[in-house]
Amino acid sequence: MKVIIIGAGEVGYHIAKALSPKNDVIIIENAEEASKRADELDVLVIEGNGANADILSKILQDTDLLVAVTGLDEVNIVACMTAKLITRGKPGWKETKTIARVSNPDYIDSPVTSRAQVGIDLMICPELSLASEIAEILSSPSAISAEMFADGKVRMTEFAISPESKLVGKQIKDLRLADCCIVSAIFRDHEIIIPHGSDIIDANDHMVVVGKPETMGGLGRTFGSQVPNKSKVLIIGCGIVGFYLAKLIDKNENADLKIIEYSKSRCIEVAETLENALILNGDGTDLSLLREEGIENMDVVISVTDSDEKNLLCALLGKQLGAKKVIARADRSDYLPLFEMVGIDLAVSPREATVSEVLKLTMGRGIQTLTTFEGEKAEIIEYTVSQGSKIVGKPLNKVKFPKGALINMVVRGRDTIVPRGDFIIENQDRVVIFSMASAMSEIEKFFR
């Protein structure tokens, strides 16, 4: 398919990198340095303003998807609206789907929404998506990632196994999980394992568990310590991500929330909105302030300033001073493994939400949700099955499903099922699959 990407920053570059091997990709970028970096990929790079109607009109014909991911909300919105106006009603021109990245809460109040009435098929707020992800994983001390599927009927949680864990040396079958939960994958060093009951759990394994949300809540006792009655949470930085996150946590009666923000005017603005949080005007790298606020007693310290380097320093200070878990935002994707290598419990990037939404539109029909792991080496995908899909009507043990892939859960109406070998997929089932990236093309064939 033909894809136009407006903006070659971190998000645009990684979308282009993911799509260019199998698609015709064009990048429009104003900045010379970003254009040179994008030139390293197998894409056509045009230097200019992506919202310019003259530029777009020359390249839009036969375009399947336009993705506007510059750092300016207004440019992204105008580019999408312009693309719709140019292609609408032109004989022989296909209608181009549009995606706009935005950050301003005046434009969006959920991580992903549609604004079709103004020419935007998907509007994505990476900052709100990142805040929602962090809020989701705060429910378990050992959880380092979480995602919901099938409209909240299936939950995925990734747990880190500490060297002190009672699970080290045990077999997967010893976990005694509920019937509606399954260990989907194990990440060990740089290896990805689709586990069997006899596989042994090692220290520092990352284990992905998929199941019904109502049965996943108690897994904290299995994979780590139990959540305290009232979690003590410290957020450093109250920009867009920090504010979104603070609003989500502030609603939780079981959280004792403190915020450190450098800007005095921002502190006043935030204090007028949040009812239960304590807002402190100060520097998150100030050791005396951190000690004074009892950082050693914090269950979670989350550093989400606009500086990757400051987030790394704040999180390392929190860890060194005794915080139980530290989470740091890293806008540059190449920093993510570095952060975790030096002791950060979880490094998160706002770009992942945008990349995932774009990949859903380009990977094939029926994909509802997509989550990537280990630098996009593995994925959990949710498909909605159509009547013509090759997987319909056959017992799973008769389907030659590719190695490196496993059907975790099936949602049928109100029922959530861990399918066995004799299970038969039906039309409109929602199927949640774990897959190695290498098996994705084979999986797609079953759902066409």
Side-chain angles (χ1 to χ4, degrees), residues 274-306:
L274 302 179
E275 296 180 359
N276 303 313
L278 174 62
I279 294 89
L280 304 163
N281 178 216
D283 189 338
T285 62
D286 184 340
L287 283 172
S288 60
L289 174 61
L290 294 176
R291 289 194 175 104
E292 185 179 329
E293 296 305 323
I295 195 169
E296 71 277 5
N297 298 317
M298 292 293 168
D299 295 294
V300 188
V301 173
I302 309 161
S303 187
V304 286
T305 75
D306 292 331

Side-chain angles (χ1 to χ4, degrees), residues 10 13-14 17 37 308-309 330-341 347 349 351-352:
E10 277 295 304
Y13 177 83
H14 281 88
K17 185 178 180 181
R37 184 190 185 202
D308 288 357
E309 292 76 11
D331 286 338
R332 290 187 56 177
S333 57
D334 49 347
Y335 279 7
L336 293 174
L338 173 63
F339 276 32
E340 294 180 0
M341 190 185 304
S349 170
R351 77 171 176 86
E352 297 297 335

Side-chain angles (χ1 to χ4, degrees), residues 106-140:
D106 290 340
Y107 296 132
I108 191 169
D109 57 5
S110 60
V112 181
T113 190
S114 174
R115 293 287 186 268
Q117 66 272 24
V118 295
I120 304 173
D121 293 298
L122 274 183
M123 190 177 276
I124 303 168
C125 181
E127 291 83 3
L128 181 51
S129 182
L130 179 62
S132 299
E133 178 190 347
I134 296 173
E136 192 70 39
I137 66 177
L138 290 181
S139 59
S140 177

Side-chain angles (χ1 to χ4, degrees), residues 151-166:
D151 296 329
K153 294 183 176 69
V154 176
R155 175 177 170 140
M156 179 282 299
T157 306
E158 181 181 353
F159 293 96
I161 306 300
S162 69
E164 300 80 24
S165 172
K166 60 186 178 184

Side-chain angles (χ1 to χ4, degrees), residues 37-54:
R37 184 190 185 202
D39 258 330
E40 299 170 1
L41 304 173
D42 184 19
V43 301
L44 172 63
V45 180
I46 298 172
E47 286 196 38
N49 183 348
N52 186 310
D54 291 335

